[in-house]
Amino acid sequence: MTRPPVNAFAARPVVGVAVLAGAVLTALSGRYGYHRDELYFLVAGRHLNWGYVDQPPLTPLITRVSTTIFGDTVMGLRVLSTLSSVATIIVVALIAREFGSARRGQVVAAICAAVSGFVLGVGHMVSTATYDLLAWMLIGLFAVKLLRTGDGRWWLALGLTAGIALENKYLVVLPIGALLVSLLIVGPREVLRSWWLLAGVAVAGVIAFPNVLWQFQHGWPQLTVAGGISQDDGTENRIMFIPLQILQLSPFLLPVWVAGFFRLWRQPWARSIALAYPVLCVVVLAVGGKSYYALPLLLVLVAAGCEPMLNWIDRHRVRAVITLVLTALTSALFTLPILPAAAADFVIPVNKEQGEQIGWPAFVGQVATAWSQIPPDQRSTATIFAGNYGEAGALVRYGPSHDLPSAYSSHMSFADWNRPPDTNTGPVLLVELQRTPIFESHFQNCHQVGTINAIVSNDEDGTALVLCDRTAEPWSTVWPKLRQYY
């Protein structure tokens, strides 16, 4: 079976592209503010464990490390996220090299990755997807090396990477599963007849075991979370899947990854990599998963498509430059905090994550105004109860500057970290995205005392601030009834 030769790695220009992208991310990393997920990770990093209700431990650990080394600020938090994206861009170029790309093809692959909306978006802030993307790219690189060389020892590298990735997010099983299915369908099947495959599985299992054990000991809560997400958002995710596959990477890159797909399909040794993408899409659509679950494999196809695009680039150099500039500008506009915060409503309909980074200090200030309506002599036994982890994280971060007490939440792992003592028999200030009679039935004499007015149309805009006299039962009794997994 014919495999392409491997050319020298274009290290200097590829690293230059990656560093330039990292510089842009660094320059913009302090704008707007923390994302709601980042506020959650900051608190989770103070409660390090082998697992959490909604995720494995790696991202909270990285958050803790980044803020410890680089400072407990928005910019300090995001340093390792930026470095992860820099590494991702380099790995995409290395994948292109494995597909036979010479110097120019590798550089174009790095540029395409650097200007794609998905890479910029997850590189700007800390999320599980940030480190998941790098893991998927490494898995793609090692899988291509395995198929190109037929050397089963690459299964060990795949297993090592998958094991570490499983400590960050379970989604890593999707690309590996899609590749295995594709290998069974179109081959080359001989790579599956290797003891190295079992060794790789063993390595992955050993690394992932601590978190799997934690999930087992706690009743597999992450399955409950995943089921709730699918039930709540599954239909919308299916409807928007194909449009977002195009939009979230960049519409301008569509010809590149289409060319990459057909290029790989024409090569028997690489055909399974091409097939893995549609197989993965079918799985994600079936379970109602989010569109970005399949996006990393598109970057592999982009890496494959850059070499055949060089002929077009040579014939249409001006058009090619304009296309790359437009890709960079549109991706940056919709994924990075370029616009003034007050103008972010322009991009929020396309990328709601922009709005989730704006207004948290003001949000806490409005909660403090509602808290001031509690008589001073009742505040020692009063409680602030936040409806979700973003609100709770913001109150942990900014509440002390307003002399607010510790806030509590029953959302995700916040429910495990702390609950109000039964001695808190006084008023309860509820922070609710929307008022819910069933939820408020656990409290007595509730009335709304304020509404969050956000400067952008984010999830918190219009949140109700509801003051209740007390809980209907002691906190230790009512707490399990308030638990929220999604």
Side-chain angles (χ1 to χ4, degrees):
M1 190 178 295
T2 303
R3 267 86 169 185
V6 175
N7 296 290
F9 179 47
R12 184 174 295 179
V14 166
V15 171
V17 171
V19 169
L20 179 60
V24 172
L25 290 172
T26 300
L28 296 172
S29 64
R31 283 177 58 82
Y32 291 179
Y34 294 104
H35 186 276
R36 67 165 59 247
D37 290 352
E38 292 176 321
L39 293 166
Y40 181 47
F41 295 143
L42 286 169
V43 182
R46 302 176 189 174
H47 298 85
L48 292 177
N49 207 331
W50 281 111
Y52 302 90
V53 164
D54 53 336
Q55 64 188 310
L58 188 57
T59 296
L61 174 62
I62 293 174
T63 298
R64 175 77 170 268
V65 171
S66 192
T67 52
T68 299
I69 296 175
F70 300 106
D72 193 9
T73 63
V74 178
M75 291 187 70
L77 168 69
R78 292 172 172 172
V79 170
L80 294 183
S81 176
T82 297
L83 292 176
S84 178
S85 290
V86 168
T88 296
I89 293 167
I90 295 172
V91 174
V92 170
L94 287 170
I95 294 173
R97 173 177 176 262
E98 291 296 319
F99 288 135
S101 290
R103 181 184 181 89
R104 286 205 307 154
Q106 296 171 34
V107 174
V108 171
I111 293 173
C112 288
V115 301
S116 68
F118 187 55
V119 173
L120 290 177
V122 300
H124 167 62
M125 62 186 188
V126 175
S127 70
T128 53
T130 305
Y131 309 111
D132 209 39
L133 176 59
L134 176 57
W136 281 47
M137 291 301 96
L138 287 170
I139 287 170
L141 174 63
F142 298 143
V144 176
K145 283 181 174 291
L146 169 68
L147 297 177
R148 185 183 63 79
T149 65
D151 187 344
R153 288 174 293 183
W154 285 109
W155 282 117
L156 286 178
L158 278 164
L160 177 63
T161 307
I164 296 172
L166 284 168
E167 291 289 0
N168 179 64
K169 202 166 188 175
Y170 291 157
L171 286 179
V172 72
V173 302
L174 294 180
I176 295 177
L179 177 61
L180 291 174
V181 170
S182 300
L183 283 170
L184 289 172
I185 296 173
V186 297
R189 299 182 185 88
E190 58 264 25
V191 297
L192 299 174
R193 296 190 289 269
S194 169
W195 287 105
W196 290 110
L197 170 56
L198 297 179
V201 171
V203 169
V206 169
I207 297 173
F209 179 74
N211 176 251
V212 174
L213 178 61
W214 188 94
Q215 286 285 326
F216 170 75
Q217 292 173 335
H218 292 79
W220 304 101
Q222 199 160 348
L223 294 179
T224 303
V225 173
I229 293 173
S230 178
Q231 181 178 353
D232 281 0
D233 303 329
T235 300
E236 180 182 352
N237 290 342
R238 293 183 181 97
I239 293 172
M240 294 301 298
F241 181 83
I242 292 178
L244 289 179
Q245 288 293 287
I246 298 172
L247 291 173
Q248 289 180 329
L249 196 64
S250 174
F252 296 107
L253 295 179
L254 175 62
V256 183
W257 61 260
V258 169
F261 177 87
F262 286 109
R263 180 190 182 197
L264 296 183
W265 189 255
R266 288 191 293 267
Q267 303 181 58
W269 74 271
R271 191 169 293 158
S272 59
I273 299 173
L275 183 60
Y277 173 67
V279 168
L280 178 59
C281 290
V282 170
V283 173
V284 174
L285 282 167
V287 301
K290 298 180 180 179
S291 63
Y292 76 84
Y293 292 178
L295 280 178
L297 286 191
L298 275 185
L299 282 175
V300 176
L301 298 183
V302 166
C306 289
E307 190 70 20
M309 291 296 294
L310 290 179
N311 290 332
W312 181 86
I313 292 173
D314 288 337
R315 296 195 307 270
H316 307 279
R317 292 189 178 183
V318 173
R319 188 181 301 178
V321 171
I322 292 174
T323 299
L324 285 174
V325 170
L326 286 175
T327 303
L329 290 177
T330 54
S331 294
L333 178 65
F334 285 100
T335 62
L336 299 179
I338 292 177
L339 295 175
D345 276 337
F346 173 75
V347 299
I348 287 175
V350 176
N351 179 18
K352 69 184 293 289
E353 308 308 330
Q354 294 276 57
E356 299 307 310
Q357 303 170 65
I358 298 172
W360 289 112
F363 165 87
V364 174
Q366 294 177 67
V367 173
T369 299
W371 173 261
S372 68
Q373 298 185 42
I374 300 175
D377 61 336
Q378 297 181 27
R379 293 177 191 171
S380 62
T381 59
T383 304
I384 299 177
F385 185 89
N388 62 56
Y389 64 65
E391 297 166 350
L395 288 164
V396 170
R397 185 69 179 178
Y398 300 110
S401 63
H402 294 274
D403 295 322
L404 292 176
S406 297
Y408 301 91
S409 178
S410 61
H411 190 214
M412 300 300 188
S413 284
F414 262 100
D416 300 318
W417 296 331
N418 208 359
R419 68 166 175 80
D422 284 343
T423 53
N424 278 23
T425 56
V428 181
L429 178 61
L430 303 178
V431 184
E432 301 182 74
L433 286 181
Q434 56 183 6
R435 297 194 65 176
T436 308
I438 294 178
F439 175 75
E440 291 183 11
S441 67
H442 298 293
F443 306 90
Q444 295 183 356
N445 300 325
C446 299
H447 62 286
Q448 189 164 339
V449 295
T451 302
I452 297 295
N453 294 309
I455 63 173
V456 294
S457 301
N458 59 18
D459 283 351
E460 301 305 319
D461 190 31
T463 292
L465 302 174
V466 178
L467 188 60
C468 307
D469 288 349
R470 62 186 62 85
T471 56
E473 302 172 277
W475 279 108
S476 58
T477 303
V478 76
W479 196 247
K481 303 175 184 177
L482 298 173
R483 176 118 210 188
Q484 302 174 70
Y485 286 101
Y486 43 86

